[in-house]
Amino acid sequence: MGRHSLAEEPVPHPLDPPSRPAAGRSETTGSHRVVGKQGPRRRIAKWPIAVAGLAVLGTLGILGWNWADGELTNRAEAQAASCSGGRTDIRITVTPQVAAPVQAAATRWNQDLTVVHGSCVHVEVQSRPAPEVYNALTGAAGAAAIGGIPDGWISESPYWITKLAQDKPDAIGSPALSIGAGPAGGGYQFVALAGPAIDETQQRATQSFRGFLKEPAQLADLAAATAKQP
């Protein structure tokens, strides 16, 4: 009988560790491939990444807004400090009842170096009774009696403004605006004036100061002064 040769399997060394199949490797059985089982993969939640991204964008947006706002403020301050367009003086004649709060408003305005029409505007306030102002504006008395024709006039009632509009309409630069309740139910009226000595910048500055008096801080001062009137 012929002898068949058999391949001899290697004999493991006594000190060698026992052989183990590699974890997760494929094993073959015949012509089929069996894939070793693996544990389930952990999925990373996407919402923390989205929240973190929004937080970063929000922070960058705030920083950008603050930077832009600061740049605008710096430019405005630089423009006011330089007064590159020169200085314009306006004079507001005020009824004595509200002279104090209007003067306080003018002080704040001047301290801010307010620029109108490219020019720093300085506001001067003087107190005169309404009849004197009316006579000077209509020519019934010399303008020197009230220190010259003012750029604006605050009367203690609409009566004097209406009378001026009827008797000398060309003295009115813009319609009168109420800046607070006056005595006996009347209202303090602020009118911007017109005349040969009042240029466009002065007219615009007067109207801007009138708007400034309509802001909450100035209105509160005017209301407090009115409350003290008998």
Side-chain angles (χ1 to χ4, degrees), residues 87-94 101-116 120-126 151-152 154 190 202 204-210 212-213:
R87 168 172 159 166
T88 297
D89 295 324
I90 61 172
R91 185 161 47 89
I92 310 299
T93 300
V94 185
V102 175
Q103 180 60 65
T107 299
R108 288 192 287 268
W109 171 282
N110 294 335
Q111 288 175 345
D112 291 341
L113 298 177
T114 306
V115 176
V116 177
C120 288
V121 176
H122 183 272
V123 178
E124 176 189 351
V125 177
Q126 66 175 10
D151 299 282
I154 299 178
F190 190 132
Q202 289 170 316
R204 291 187 61 177
T206 300
Q207 293 173 8
S208 295
F209 181 70
R210 182 177 64 179
F212 181 69
L213 291 178

Side-chain angles (χ1 to χ4, degrees):
M1 179 182 296
R3 297 180 60 184
H4 297 280
S5 61
L6 297 176
E8 295 182 356
E9 295 182 0
V11 178
H13 193 276
L15 298 179
D16 291 339
S19 59
R20 295 180 180 177
R25 291 186 178 178
S26 301
E27 298 177 358
T28 56
T29 303
S31 63
H32 298 282
R33 185 170 182 267
V34 179
V35 179
K37 295 183 178 180
Q38 297 181 355
R41 295 183 179 180
R42 296 184 59 188
R43 299 182 61 184
I44 300 176
K46 296 181 179 180
W47 67 265
I49 299 176
V51 171
L54 291 176
V56 172
L57 291 176
T59 301
L60 292 177
I62 292 173
L63 292 176
W65 176 266
N66 290 339
W67 176 85
D69 185 59
E71 283 294 308
L72 292 176
T73 301
N74 291 338
R75 290 177 185 176
E77 290 177 351
Q79 180 188 22
S82 63
C83 289
S84 58
R87 168 172 159 166
T88 297
D89 295 324
I90 61 172
R91 185 161 47 89
I92 310 299
T93 300
V94 185
T95 185
Q97 291 92 326
V98 292
V102 175
Q103 180 60 65
T107 299
R108 288 192 287 268
W109 171 282
N110 294 335
Q111 288 175 345
D112 291 341
L113 298 177
T114 306
V115 176
V116 177
H117 211 209
S119 179
C120 288
V121 176
H122 183 272
V123 178
E124 176 189 351
V125 177
Q126 66 175 10
S127 175
R128 292 287 189 278
E132 293 183 13
V133 180
Y134 168 81
N135 290 336
L137 293 177
T138 56
I146 60 170
I149 302 300
D151 299 282
W153 178 27
I154 299 178
S155 173
E156 69 266 20
S157 74
Y159 168 79
W160 293 104
I161 305 299
T162 302
K163 187 171 176 60
L164 176 65
Q166 292 173 348
D167 297 342
K168 194 173 182 181
D170 58 345
I172 305 294
S174 64
L177 180 68
S178 175
I179 59 170
Y188 294 107
Q189 299 286 306
F190 190 132
V191 61
L193 301 174
I198 302 175
D199 61 24
E200 181 183 355
T201 300
Q202 289 170 316
Q203 285 188 345
R204 291 187 61 177
T206 300
Q207 293 173 8
S208 295
F209 181 70
R210 182 177 64 179
F212 181 69
L213 291 178
K214 294 287 289 182
E215 294 180 1
Q218 285 67 250
L219 286 178
D221 290 346
L222 289 167
T226 301
K228 296 179 181 178
Q229 301 299 323

